[in-house]
Amino acid sequence: MTLKNTMTTGLLLLFLVAISSCKKETSHKENLESTILSQIDSIDGTVAVAFFNLSAPEDSLFINIDEKFHAASTMKVPVMIELFKQAAQGKFNLNDSVFLKNEFKSIVDSSLYSMDIGVDSDHIVYNKINKKVAIKDLMYSMITASSNLATNVLIELVDAKKVTATMRDLGAKDIEVLRGVEDLKAFEKGLSNSTTARDLMIIMKAIAQHKAGSEADSKAMIAVLEDQLFKSIIPKYLPKTLKVAHKTGSITGVHHDAGIVYLPDGKSYVLVILSKNIKNSDTATQQLARISKTIYDYVSTN
């Protein structure tokens, strides 16, 4: 065999190996999508999934990511970002204290309403009403315990319109933070906070890549998100040693989770799972958690 023929044969073998590798990777990706679509089909409701592989962006997967959902408590992450932004601008210090009240104005007509401790997930903060509380402590309760009372106080502090404007600056084009929680008059008029899986993915990606503020502020946000108390979706079936920085959200018929998953080998990814019109919350939540496990298995073995 001549040198020329040997080189040609070698190049052909390299080409065939490359083609085989690409087909294998494509097959893995197709299997992932097929599995997740099957899991979604088993849920009586509408589901969106945004999986962005921070370690291999080309390996990401998006399903219904531009579908509009009630944001529920996922909108508390944008509020946290705005708090850090305004603190960096010198408008206040996160160590400053604010007066904790339980009286808020509806965005419809400025009429007053109060939060109901019976439907709030964090009862502890109610013991501090009519007292001064550090902004950073309210922020921590807003994220980790999903305190609605803390959220409303903080939204009044930073202004919902500014929160939405900052999300636009990050590239989130559809998310709307219109108001605080339990503004029933606004709810009845269809004025609710909304989001898409794409926008929450963009927001969580910005935090993960330290672009939601300074590097120090982004790391501080991640640390707060890692202390999330509600773990029924993204972390539920994952190894307990994993670091998961995430924020859940739920109202009747709606259950969300948006976060960043960090693997021990250095890999990381953003995952957003949104759902609405859920008929059986317990069954749906279990399956949403299994979607998270499917994606973890995919990332950890590829």
Side-chain angles (χ1 to χ4, degrees), residues 12-29:
L12 179 59
L13 286 172
L14 287 173
F15 175 75
L16 291 174
V17 169
I19 290 295
S20 175
S21 177
C22 287
K23 286 184 177 179
K24 189 175 181 180
E25 289 177 6
T26 300
S27 177
H28 285 163
K29 182 79 171 291

Side-chain angles (χ1 to χ4, degrees), residues 222-236:
I222 291 169
V224 174
L225 290 163
E226 285 179 348
D227 285 348
Q228 175 60 238
L229 296 176
F230 304 105
K231 304 176 184 293
S232 62
I233 299 183
I234 291 180
K236 183 173 178 62

